[in-house]
Amino acid sequence: MNLTAIIFSFVFVILALFLSNAFKLGLGKDIIITCVRATIQLFIVGYILKFVFGFDHPFVIILMLLIMILVAAKNAAKRGREIPYAFWKIFLTIAVVEIITQGFLLGLKIVPAEPQYIISISGMIIGNSMIIANLFLNRLKAEIEMRREEIDLVLSLGGSVKQSIFPILKQSIRASLIPTIEGQKTIGLVQLPGMMTGQIIAGADPIQAVKFQLLIVFLIMSAATLTAIILGFLIYPSLFNKEQQLEVF
Amino acid sequence: MKNTEIELHNIRKAFADGSKKVPVLNGISAKIEKGTLLTIVGPSGSGKSTILSLCNLLQTPDDGEIYVNKQEVRKWNVQELRRYVGIAFQSAPMTKGTVLENLSLPLKLRGETLENPETYLEYVGLSAELLSREAKELSGGQRQRLSLARTLVNNSSVLLLDEVTSALDTKASQGIEELIQRINKERSVTILWVTHDLSQAERVGDETWLIKDGQLVEGAPTKQFFSEPQDERTKDFLNLLRSSL
Ligand SMILES: Nc1ncnc2c1ncn2[C@@H]1O[C@H](COP(=O)(O)OP(=O)(O)OP(=O)(O)O)[C@@H](O)[C@H]1O
Ligand SMILES: [Mg+2]
């Protein structure tokens, strides 16, 4: 894409703005902010990636991954402000998921150990884990608010903290995974996944792109499951105090 | 010979309402001897349910101590305490699942199974046919009976009963009253029974308390509490309710 093409792509922004105005949707400001942010963020990321790939040093890659996980954890922790150490527990979860998935990918030589692969796949894993953590915490909060009496009931009968929260934990883990699983069911039928589209546009063989996309689908599925389960088990003890009473939410 | 089961020592409790704290219990002190059937009456919102939930550490007092079997509640193993002091909640909550699953929950939590579920249903006047029904679908009265039966499964030494007959008709209530009195006399289980039904409090109690504005206004042997109340506030409370009947 040359510079003129990029400039012309702003036509679409103007179209969106025009429609928002014409139908008084009141989204003009948000559209502008989103587009400006996207432009700046993506360009910065592009230059950073160029720099990191040029460096090709493990330390730089690990630093880059750490920053990505930090940002993701900070974002997801907004959902769990009431929970003590929520940020660190989410950080730990995403880090563990990243280590496990990269461990398999690199250990079994599924992908080459090159910065392009590591960073872009990690980006997808970490971003997805962030969304799962968000969904999980949201659901957990709603379930607890709804089923508080059940928790007290189990505690009152001499049940442990874990026994009292387990059905709710399970429900929240399940619920947070449903969008991922549902979303993958129609993959390719309606919409080609972004990465596959990109590869095809960049000239890759469609079958090659499909193979790679499949890897990503499977990866995201297990990363999502890992995230919800690990986070669930890290989070639940901090919902109770030492007298085994539900204290958060 | 005196043998104290529960001792409240200057209990205070406030709840947060937004940024400010609303006091609910303002320094309650009392002793309950083993084997007593205590009835607790008082206006709505006076803190009766809160007192019960402090006795098995479902809530912690802001100030003061609570001794159960001579040991401060916070020194107990929490799970053992909650089995020693059982509670039947005012709202009779049910978990998802059948009547049988709800009834055997106390044992399931310990990895055991309930051998004789029918016996427990019979105690509270429920038919064994209900065992496979979804518990959340029961009527208010049926849920209340099931909730009480479930609490009995733990064989606790102390029972906290919070309005356990409020959804039952007179005849059914009397069945429950007889059951509780039998448990109290035969197994000398100590019972704290919160009820808004004054005639029930008078019928079943050995001792009765009036809780009002977060205070223990009067605690006396039940006969005396109803025939010759000492405190003006008790007289007012009894008169008000009697005249409204
Ligand atoms: N978890 C809580 N959070 C905030 N306020 C509470 C909580 N539990 C109880 N309260 C407040 O404490 C007061 C006493 O409540 P409690 O349930 O002990 O009253 P009660 O005497 O049992 O009333 P009732 O006869 O209506 O059941 C009420 O004003 C109630 O709103
Ligand atoms: Mg109450």
Side-chain angles (χ1 to χ4, degrees), chain A residues 15-114:
Chain A
L15 180 61
L17 277 177
F18 170 77
L19 289 174
S20 165
N21 251 351
F23 290 95
K24 302 208 164 44
L25 302 179
L27 291 173
K29 206 173 136 200
D30 285 317
I31 291 175
I32 293 177
I33 291 176
T34 305
C35 291
V36 170
R37 275 192 67 158
T39 311
I40 296 174
Q41 279 167 215
L42 287 178
F43 268 109
I44 290 178
V45 167
Y47 282 107
I48 290 177
L49 286 178
K50 201 167 175 177
F51 172 77
V52 171
F53 294 166
F55 234 95
D56 197 9
H57 189 283
F59 177 76
V60 181
I61 295 174
I62 290 174
L63 186 70
M64 173 94 189
L65 293 176
L66 262 180
I67 294 172
M68 286 158 71
I69 298 174
L70 272 173
V71 173
K74 188 139 196 316
N75 182 306
K78 282 186 210 147
R79 292 266 168 259
R81 239 168 300 183
E82 304 92 336
I83 307 171
Y85 306 112
F87 169 77
W88 290 110
K89 294 187 175 192
I90 297 168
F91 180 83
L92 185 62
T93 303
I94 302 182
V96 168
V97 171
E98 164 69 7
I99 289 168
I100 293 177
T101 49
Q102 289 299 329
F104 276 114
L105 284 174
L106 300 177
L108 299 174
K109 297 204 165 56
I110 299 173
V111 297
E114 285 166 20

Side-chain angles (χ1 to χ4, degrees), chain B residues 48-50 90 162-163 194:
Chain B
K48 304 182 297 295
S49 297
T50 306
Q90 190 165 10
D162 203 347
E163 307 275 16
V194 170

Side-chain angles (χ1 to χ4, degrees), chain B residues 8-13 26-30 61-65:
Chain B
L8 307 178
H9 195 258
N10 202 17
I11 295 303
R12 288 174 190 280
K13 179 81 186 165
N26 305 312
I28 291 194
S29 298
D62 298 336
D63 204 10
E65 295 93 46

Side-chain angles (χ1 to χ4, degrees), chain A residues 143 147 149-150 152-161 163 171 241-245, chain B residues 57-60 74 78-79 82-83 87 89 91 93-96 105 109 136 150 154:
Chain A
E143 288 280 326
R147 295 167 68 181
E149 283 191 330
E150 262 179 75
D152 277 339
L153 170 67
V154 172
L155 293 175
S156 80
L157 293 169
S160 65
V161 158
Q163 286 173 321
Q171 183 66 33
N241 62 17
K242 69 173 193 303
E243 277 115 27
Q244 304 189 18
Q245 302 157 353
Chain B
L57 207 59
L58 286 169
Q59 305 211 46
T60 312
R74 280 156 284 191
V78 180
Q79 270 135 272
R82 289 178 185 159
R83 290 194 175 114
I87 186 166
F89 290 109
S91 57
M94 293 294 146
T95 65
K96 280 189 190 130
L105 182 60
L109 294 172
K136 291 201 186 224
R150 182 177 54 198
N154 260 343

Side-chain angles (χ1 to χ4, degrees), chain A residues 153-211:
Chain A
L153 170 67
V154 172
L155 293 175
S156 80
L157 293 169
S160 65
V161 158
K162 185 171 166 187
Q163 286 173 321
S164 78
I165 193 89
F166 193 72
I168 288 172
L169 213 51
K170 211 167 101 179
Q171 183 66 33
S172 309
I173 292 174
R174 275 180 57 96
S176 66
L177 292 177
I178 287 172
T180 304
I181 295 170
E182 286 300 313
Q184 310 290 29
K185 273 188 190 160
T186 55
I187 194 165
L189 296 183
V190 182
Q191 186 191 20
L192 292 182
M195 196 191 65
M196 205 170 111
T197 314
Q199 275 189 302
I200 294 174
I201 289 174
D205 168 30
I207 300 303
Q208 199 55 38
V210 163
K211 284 183 190 160

Side-chain angles (χ1 to χ4, degrees), chain B:
Chain B
M1 192 189 70
K2 292 239 163 176
N3 199 350
T4 307
E5 183 71 276
I6 293 187
E7 182 175 352
L8 307 178
H9 195 258
N10 202 17
I11 295 303
R12 288 174 190 280
K13 179 81 186 165
F15 287 109
D17 179 14
S19 55
K20 65 178 195 291
K21 283 228 147 191
V22 183
V24 172
L25 299 177
N26 305 312
I28 291 194
S29 298
K31 280 185 185 175
I32 304 160
E33 303 306 322
K34 275 193 207 289
T36 306
L37 202 169
L38 168 72
T39 51
I40 302 175
V41 297
S44 187
S46 55
K48 304 182 297 295
S49 297
T50 306
I51 292 179
L52 296 190
S53 66
L54 292 168
C55 291
N56 64 355
L57 207 59
L58 286 169
Q59 305 211 46
T60 312
D62 298 336
D63 204 10
E65 295 93 46
I66 298 166
Y67 297 88
V68 170
N69 200 16
K70 302 190 174 61
Q71 176 152 252
E72 218 284 325
V73 284
R74 280 156 284 191
K75 297 235 168 68
W76 274 77
N77 169 309
V78 180
Q79 270 135 272
E80 277 173 23
L81 172 71
R82 289 178 185 159
R83 290 194 175 114
Y84 189 90
V85 183
I87 186 166
F89 290 109
Q90 190 165 10
S91 57
M94 293 294 146
T95 65
K96 280 189 190 130
T98 62
V99 168
L100 177 60
E101 282 167 318
N102 267 279
L103 186 61
S104 43
L105 182 60
L107 289 179
K108 194 184 147 216
L109 294 172
R110 283 182 263 175
E112 293 165 25
T113 47
L114 181 62
E115 301 294 343
N116 51 344
E118 302 84 4
T119 320
Y120 281 94
L121 289 192
E122 207 183 301
Y123 282 156
V124 295
L126 287 178
S127 146
E129 284 163 23
L130 291 177
L131 279 171
S132 57
R133 282 270 297 277
E134 193 66 26
K136 291 201 186 224
E137 286 168 9
L138 297 182
S139 74
Q142 287 173 322
R143 278 220 317 272
Q144 210 160 45
R145 297 185 209 222
L146 175 57
S147 160
L148 176 62
R150 182 177 54 198
T151 302
L152 298 181
V153 169
N154 260 343
N155 253 323
S156 305
S157 303
V158 180
L159 285 177
L160 312 171
L161 308 179
D162 203 347
E163 307 275 16
V164 288
T165 62
S166 60
L168 303 181
D169 59 38
T170 318
K171 188 161 161 283
S173 295
Q174 278 168 3
I176 298 293
E177 286 170 17
E178 280 161 25
L179 169 72
I180 301 294
Q181 284 179 303
R182 218 169 66 220
I183 291 171
N184 170 246
K185 295 292 169 300
E186 287 172 10
R187 302 189 216 154
S188 63
V189 171
T190 309
I191 291 172
L192 278 66
W193 190 342
V194 170
T195 176
H196 70 269
D197 178 349
L198 283 188
S199 60
Q200 179 174 67
E202 186 168 10
R203 260 196 314 278
V204 301
D206 302 325
E207 271 182 54
T208 300
W209 290 0
L210 171 65
I211 304 294
K212 196 164 184 280
D213 304 327
Q215 284 179 316
L216 172 52
V217 171
E218 183 158 356
T222 301
K223 277 209 180 70
Q224 183 191 321
F225 181 96
F226 284 95
S227 58
E228 29 187 322
Q230 304 297 305
D231 197 288
E232 284 306 314
R233 288 168 293 177
T234 313
K235 289 177 197 164
D236 288 347
F237 180 74
L238 295 178
N239 285 334
L240 190 70
L241 285 189
R242 277 175 184 148
S243 63
S244 70
L245 283 180

